Amino acid sequence: MIRFSIITVCLNAGQGLLDTVARTLGQTYENFEMIVKDGGSQDGSIEKLPNDPRIRVVIKKDTGIYDAMNQGVGEARGDYLIFMNCGDWFYSADALQEIAEGIGEDREPLYYGKCFDRMTGQVRAYPKQLTRMTCYRTMICHQATVYRADVLKNRPYDLSYPILADRETLWHLVCEKKVEPKYLDTVIADYQGGGESASDKYKERNRADQQRLLDTYYPKSEQLKYKLLMALTFQKLRVALSKSPKCSKYYFKTIQTLYDWKERIRK
């Protein structure tokens, strides 16, 4: 029976932490542990956590969110790891059960599913096959990603990417290690959106790290090809539609239909 480690990192996260913990403890699938990796909160949130044997609190200073995640990975005893940030939670009480059934006996290195985006009120559409092109174009939801534990224990998040380390890990696996992430046709996470990667405060650092990441995994010729393809498929308009509360419903429905069609053709 698959054992999951749900890792939540926090620092003075308040009610967001308590909500995430409560939703996790409400899962119908019971073979999991929840690691709350706290950086030294002073807001009383850690003291308010329920007394539940499935929760392990690790209080230790860290240098940022991915360092905290790496520390959580070091504590994990599960077969698979899921990172659930404070304020995010599983989409349904059966989410872990559905993930376990999707994994079955295969035990692949990486699985991913869909997420519900609270900012738009829509389930985001993701491609059912991650290739070099789809990795360039689309970043899957971190909270809807399921890592086999040895993947991150053997190669933790790269802390030189303080905002994009999860993307770097995905590109490393797909582009360098030729891992084929497996798609789970289920909504895993209820995601609040925003966060540091979307903040104007980190816009310049994000842009610089994004280019460094591209130069690491994509030759200039390939970058140019994909950039041209993105322009020809109206990237800026698509991004605007995906973020619009009025249009996102129709946009994601259309994109999901296209992904389903491509999957049928591929088979």
Side-chain angles (χ1 to χ4, degrees), residues 46-64:
I46 295 298
E47 290 75 13
K48 294 177 183 177
L49 289 173
N51 184 18
D52 191 296
R54 292 171 292 180
I55 300 175
R56 283 200 291 130
V57 177
V58 178
I59 301 176
K60 184 179 179 181
K61 288 186 177 180
D62 54 69
T63 60

Side-chain angles (χ1 to χ4, degrees), residues 40 45 105 145 155 199 266:
S45 55
E105 299 299 323
T145 305
R155 187 185 186 272
S199 170
R266 189 169 70 91

Side-chain angles (χ1 to χ4, degrees), residues 123-190:
V123 174
R124 299 185 69 90
Y126 293 108
K128 297 186 177 182
Q129 184 181 26
L130 288 182
T131 63
R132 292 178 67 88
M133 172 56 183
T134 51
C135 280
Y136 179 95
R137 185 186 64 203
T138 306
M139 182 57 195
I140 57 178
C141 178
H142 193 218
Q143 290 83 340
T145 305
V146 186
Y147 298 92
R148 198 173 65 202
D150 64 288
V151 171
L152 289 177
K153 286 183 179 290
N154 292 337
R155 187 185 186 272
Y157 288 118
D158 184 343
L159 301 186
S160 73
Y161 291 95
I163 305 168
L164 302 174
D166 56 317
R167 179 171 296 190
E168 192 281 332
T169 293
L170 177 66
W171 287 14
H172 169 76
L173 291 170
V174 174
C175 298
E176 186 168 318
K177 295 301 183 181
K178 312 303 181 187
V179 169
E180 296 182 8
K182 301 302 179 182
Y183 177 75
L184 300 174
D185 192 13
T186 186
V187 185
I188 294 176
D190 187 317

Side-chain angles (χ1 to χ4, degrees), residues 20-29 32 54 92-94:
T20 298
V21 170
R23 298 293 186 101
T24 300
L25 297 180
Q27 288 294 299
T28 57
Y29 187 91
F32 71 88
R54 292 171 292 180
S92 72
D94 296 325

Side-chain angles (χ1 to χ4, degrees), residues 57 106 116 176 200 218 264:
V57 177
D106 294 337
F116 175 81
E176 186 168 318
D200 288 339
Y218 292 87
R264 287 195 296 270

